[in-house]
Amino acid sequence: MLDFSMPDFSNIGAGVMVEFNAFTKQVGDSLPILEEMGFEVSTFRVQWGLPPKAKLRLRSSRVTDPHKVQAIAAKANGGLLMTALVSSAAAAKRIQSTMKLGTAIIDVDFAIPPRVRMSFLNGKTDKKDPAERDVEDLDLACGQALAGN
C-alpha cells in the first residue's frame, strides 16, 4: 500500500524563524541610513508560506542633495541586504532629483527572485486632491491584486 502521509515539517519552522529574524534585523539595521537619506517605511508586509515572502514600501517626499545621499550611502557597511536597500534608495533619490519629481516610492519584494520597483509622483501635484494623495495606496492594491498575493 502507498504511503500518503505528510512529510514531517516540524523542524522547518525553527529554521525559517532563525532566517526570518536575521532578515528583519538586516532590514532594521538599514532603516537609520534610509531615514537619513530621506526615506520612511510606509508598509512592511509578511506572508508566511514556503518560501515566506516580505514586502517593504519606502517613501520619500523630500528631495535630498545627491552628493549628500552618496556620502550617506557610502557609510552603509552591512550585509548584502543593506547594500541592496541603500543602493536602490540612492538610485531613487538620484532619479527624483534629476527629474525634479515629488514623492519617490520604492517597493521591495523579498521573494524568489527578489524585485525592486520604483515609482515617482509629480512634485507639482495638488496634495489636496484625494486621487493624487492616495495614488500610492491604489498602486499597492492593484499590484497585490495582479500578483495574486
Side-chain angles (χ1 to χ4, degrees):
M1 184 164 183
L2 296 173
D3 182 12
F4 290 111
S5 61
M6 289 293 293
D8 181 14
F9 291 120
S10 60
N11 293 329
I12 292 177
V16 169
M17 284 307 297
V18 167
E19 291 298 320
F20 184 75
N21 289 339
F23 160 78
T24 54
K25 181 175 179 355
Q26 288 182 50
V27 172
D29 291 345
S30 303
L31 293 181
I33 296 168
L34 295 168
E35 287 172 359
E36 192 175 349
M37 294 172 79
F39 282 92
E40 67 181 12
V41 174
S42 179
T43 58
F44 182 67
R45 292 187 166 90
V46 176
Q47 177 181 340
W48 289 115
L50 290 175
K53 297 178 185 177
K55 295 179 184 237
L56 174 67
R57 174 169 272 199
L58 300 169
R59 184 178 172 172
S60 169
S61 57
R62 64 180 163 96
V63 176
T64 309
D65 176 34
H67 299 297
K68 181 179 177 187
V69 169
Q70 285 304 99
I72 294 167
K75 294 190 301 186
N77 57 1
L80 181 63
L81 181 58
M82 179 184 284
T83 302
L85 286 172
V86 170
S87 64
S88 295
K93 282 295 193 175
R94 189 172 46 257
I95 293 168
Q96 184 183 25
S97 176
T98 302
M99 296 182 69
K100 301 195 183 353
L101 296 169
T103 303
I105 300 167
I106 301 176
D107 290 309
V108 184
D109 290 341
F110 301 103
I112 300 173
R115 293 180 297 200
V116 175
R117 184 178 63 166
M118 296 178 195
S119 305
F120 301 89
L121 302 177
N122 187 333
K124 297 176 182 154
T125 333
D126 181 10
K127 296 296 181 190
K128 294 178 184 173
D129 180 3
E132 292 298 328
R133 189 177 60 230
D134 298 333
V135 72
E136 63 265 9
D137 294 328
L138 177 62
D139 180 45
L140 179 65
C142 291
Q144 288 179 334
L146 292 174
N149 292 330

